[in-house]
Structures are given as structure tokens and as C-alpha cells.
Amino acid sequence: MNKDQDRERARELTEELHYHNFRYYIKDDPVISDAEYDRMLRELQELEEEFPELRTPDSPTQRVGAPPLDAFETVTHRQQMLSLANAFDVEEIRGFDERVKRGLETEEDVEYVCEPKLDGLAVELVYEDGVFVQGSTRGDGTTGEDITQNLRTIPYIPLKLRNDQLDLPPLLEVRGEVYMEEEDFEHLNEQRLEAGEQPFANPRNCAAGSLRQLDPNVTAGRNLKIYCYERGVIEGKSFGSHWEFLETIPKWGFRTNPLARRCSSIEEAIEFYEGLESRRNDLGYEIDGIVIKVNDYALRDELGVRSRSPRWAVAGKFKAQQEVTVIEDIEASVGRTGAVTPVAHLKPVNIGGVTVSRATLHNQDEIDRKDVRIGDTVVAQRAGDVIPEVVKVILEKRPENTEPYHLPEECPVCGGHVAKVEDEAIHRCQNISCPAQVKGHLKHFASKAAMDIDGLGVKLVEQLFDEEFIQDPADLYHLAKDDLVELERMAEKSAQNLLDAIDASRETTLARFLYALGIRNVGEHLARVLEREFGSLDALRTASLDELESVNEVGPIVAESIYNFFDEEQNRELIRKLLDANIAIETPEAEASDDTFADKTIVFTGAMEHFTRSDAKKLAERLGGRATSSVSGNTDFVVAGENAGSKLDKAQEIGVTVLTEQEFIDMLPEECRP
Ligand code: IVH
């Protein structure tokens, strides 16, 4: 090939690679394989190697490889990057709307655009004639830092804009938030811990730290993303409204948040605010509120700006999920498996509307890593359904004379030896007759998802054990009324109710029975899988390791724990005692024949009319399916109820079959329909 042909080929490859980046990163709909993409990129790299003059700054090869800087240059923003005033509840949001209406001298509803308020780092991207020329941090709003090299490594930021649908303005400034998804954050922290490095406190710090690296290669490895949400200076193209702007920029190749919504009144915006707050833990990335913006640009101009924030927008903040409090004590709590977990007793604090007085410290490694001590002032966090945890210590507030905390070497319940198993982070009490373990087993055995003994709660189990009426689950089936009425606060009527409930639990399913036994690694779902695969207790307890491992979803570790469980004389004895107490295990044949959802993976999202999500999941599993909580390429169906959110979006994006609640009901066998 001669030089002209090479130049032409390089141009062609550049164009195609830009197009495929757009398909992959912006549209999330690639049209070629990764291998094909890599091949084209390599060909272009080779051409550029040979003819360096072909290597333009907007070349797709130029995302990585820039040399580290000594320091960042300063950039002055053409237009100030403002910040936002906050509204902390619905009333304050209405207050914002009133100020807007007063400013506009109107009583009519104002149209707003609402967007999730991402917790990341604000950046400005500058494009000249469609080419990315500069990217900077917000800094103090007037000047920021030039982080162009780092931003280039983020594939979600276009290096060259598309002009196939719309002409390019000669100057275009777009602002957005660079952030990191929670999964990537957790993954990175795991790697850092393994490498003996300090983990990041949260995704925001991690995104910010990754962007302010002097070596762009570090940024490149961090899997950062961006959502674009505002404009700076634009020459050569005018917009009438923010919504028009948000609908236009993806055509040039920018990524915008699909959750953004146009609202025709403040009440609609409030609905969005409340809806998103309830889903904030399901998004996969952190948000700390929503941003409510006046849509019409002419109205924005009329309202104007204060010194640092516009009058036309407000941040509707969610309730904090983190608060500062003090650790009053640390307790070593022993669970059913003997695991000794450090639990912090906190000075009670209201987090997101719930009073929190205990938080997990996970294990000794975590305590060491965070250096948590009794008396410390700490940040405690509560997110959605997860157990509250201690995030970090505020060292500046540490009182004098504190000591590092160590879990006791003796079990606080039975005095048994506490040891850490190699390769495990958990310390365990080694005494299998430790009352904490025995009580834990009993509680688990009676619980709703296990034998479902109505009325036999945690307190009563403790009482029965402490009074030596029961030592193991089989003893429950030999309790006599005369014994029970002797217990404190136990009237004859409640004693009878309890005995009836115990009696009723004799009739059970194999899955419940297996789950109730508390075999390590066998949760509700796996118990159902085992029920389906083995059909009877005998078949399962005599299964070989190979047979166990041949079951889909049973890996070597799980197979071993099942095998070991049935191999242990003490456990065999317990099963014998239970069966002697006339426990009748229903064989699942009748149900197993219904395999409506056999081998299908189903995700339920949003609110349904006829089921709770947990009942729908159980039903799908009874019918042979697997209910999971996140949508991926392996998902067969997504059942979307009211207000289904990001999971539905994702299903639609990747082409998973979406069912309405009614369509799901229609698939059910008659006897299972609500
Ligand atoms: S608009 C004048 N939209 O919030 C409007 N900001 O305190 C300025 N942020 O620095 C920004 N998500 O880092 C806007 N959808 C969104 C946002 C957003 C997050 C951040 C941004 C900004 C801060 C304002």
C-alpha cells in the first residue's frame, strides 16, 4: 500500500471505531464482536506506529497511553459552573416552587425536568468542531483542573462527536457527573485489600481519586462512567429548553440518564422524588437526591442566578443514610454456626428515619483495617434492608487512652475456644454444644421459612432452652402442656396453641425440612433445588459427593458441606430422633411434575397487585424456576409491576422478555393463580 492508501485506511478505521464505540458505550447495543473491534483497533495502532502523523488527538487509539503529568494545569471555565441550593424534604421542595412562581410572577404550574443527583465528580467537556479538546473539574466553579488526559480514558466520553443526524456546533460545552458503579467499586476495593492497599471509603471518593490521578493509565483501569446533564457555552446551535437539550445530545454521542423525567408541576416532581428515594438502593450507583430544574430556558433567564447557585434549580436531597455517632461498647455475638461477630453498641442515632443502636463490625480483619475502638466517634451507615454498619472512624475525635479491640479468645457464651479458620475472615466458637449455637439452631429450626412453628419466637426458644425443656429440635415434639404452663407468662391457652403449632409442623415438605436442619450453605433456594433433584431424604443422605456435585447450582464447597453433614453421627442421630417423632415429610413428586419455569431465571421488579415480591419468588421457585434480583444476559423473564425502574430499563435494553403481572399469572398452573 502506498501512503495515500494507508492514510485512507486509517481514516476509515477511525470512523468505524468511533461508530462502534458509540454503539457499545452509548447505545449499549454493539453490532460487532469484541474480537473484531480489537482487530480493527490493532490495525489502526500499527498504521499510526508507522506513520505518526496519522495519530490525531481524536483517534480511538488515544484513550490510553498518555504519559503521566507532573501536575494539573488550571482551566478557567468560560461560564461559571454553579452549585445547587438544597431542599431537604417535600415542604422545602414546595418552597422552591413557590419562589420560582413568585420570581416569574405566575400562579400557573411550572414545567420542571427532574434528574437523579449522582454522587460523583462534576466535569466539563469542551468540543471544538466535534473534537474533544479539553476536560476539567469544577474546582471552585470559576477555575478547575485540566484532566483532559484522564477523561479521554473513559470510553463513555466521546472523543469525536457524531454528525450523522445533526450538524455539529463549532463550540460545545457539556457538563456531567463522572461516577463509579457500586459493583465496580466493591470489586476494586477487594483487589486493593488483596494487594494490601488502603480501600476507598465510598464510590464518590473513588471516582474523584481516580480522576485526579497524574497517571492516566490508573484512571483507565477504573471503569468510570459519565452521565451528562447540563450545558456550558454553546455556539452555533440554540435550544429552547433543557428537555430539548437532553434529547439532542445523545445524537452527538453523549450519555444521558434514562431516568430523567419531564414533570408538568411540582407535585409530579415530588412524586418522582419520593419514588426514586424508595428505589435508590436498586440503581447500581449512588445518588443522594434529585435535581429539579426549570425546563424552559427563557424562564431560567428570567429567574437568573444568585452568587453561586441558580434560582431555577434545586437539589432535593434524600434522607442521609450515614450519620455520626459514638461506639459505647463492642459485643462479640455468637451465631448458630458458631461465628463470633463483633457488634458495635452505638449511642442511638436516627439514620434515614430509623433509630439505630447496633451496627455490625463484620469481623476482626475489618476492625483492624478500620481500627475501630470503644469510645470512637464513627460514621454509621444504613442502606435499605442491609444491616447497619460502621463505615469509618473519625480519628480526630478519638478520646485518649483507647485500646485496639480484639475479639475474645474464649466464647463469651460458653467459654469454649474461639479460633479463626485459615482462609476465612470469621472467628468461630469451636464447641458445637455451645448454647449460643444450640439456641441459634433451635430458632432457625422453628422459623417461618423452616418448620414454621407459629408462636415459637426467639424469646420462647431461649426460655425453653434455659429451663432445660429442650436441647435439640427433636425435643420440641415431646413437650407436654404441664411443662409449658410452668413457664413464666405462659397461660394454658397459649400453651395449647403452641403445642398445636408444633403438631401442625410435623407435616412438612422436604425443602423446609432440609432448610430447617441448618446445613451450612443450604439456604431456602438450594433446599428447594435439592428437593427437586433428589425427591426424598433417603436419596439425598446417601448421595455421593459426585452425585451431589452433578446437580446444577451445587459446587464443590456446597457438595462437601451437604456430604459432611450427613456423614456426622450427631446429625444422623438428630434426624433419627425427628423421624421418630412422627415428622411426615411430604415427597414432592406431585409438585415437581409442574415445571412451568424449569431452569428459567426470573426477576420480579416493581409492585404487584396480587403478590408480594417474596411470595411471587417462592411461587416461581416452586414451579422449578430461579428467582434472582438482578437482570443480566442469563435472565429469561422480568416480571414488571407498578413503578418498575432500572431493572425494567435494563431488561428492555438487553432484550430480556418482559411480562406484566397478568401475563405472569396467565403462565401459572390453574391451582397457583391468585
Ligand atoms: S446540575 C446549576 N444535574 O450536584 C446546575 N448537577 O451541587 C448545576 N450533580 O456540582 C448542576 N447530578 O456535581 C446537576 N443531574 C444533575 C446532577 C448534578 C449531580 C452534582 C454536580 C454539581 C452538584 C450541585
Side-chain angles (χ1 to χ4, degrees), residues 82-84 115-118 120-122 138 177 229-230 291 293 310 312-313:
L82 297 167
S83 76
L84 293 168
E115 300 158 14
K117 184 169 185 298
L118 273 90
L121 196 78
R138 173 169 173 273
E177 197 87 351
Y229 52 63
E230 269 303 323
V291 185
K293 305 172 176 177
W312 44 260

Side-chain angles (χ1 to χ4, degrees), residues 471-487:
Q471 309 285 324
D472 69 30
D475 294 339
L476 286 169
Y477 296 94
H478 302 291
L479 283 173
K481 197 154 144 196
D482 294 348
D483 297 336
L484 290 177
V485 289
E486 275 177 35
L487 292 174

Side-chain angles (χ1 to χ4, degrees), residues 418-428 430 520:
V418 171
K420 185 172 150 167
V421 185
E422 222 177 312
D423 293 341
E424 257 196 349
I426 302 166
H427 283 70
R428 287 182 201 277
Q430 303 298 310
R520 196 171 294 171

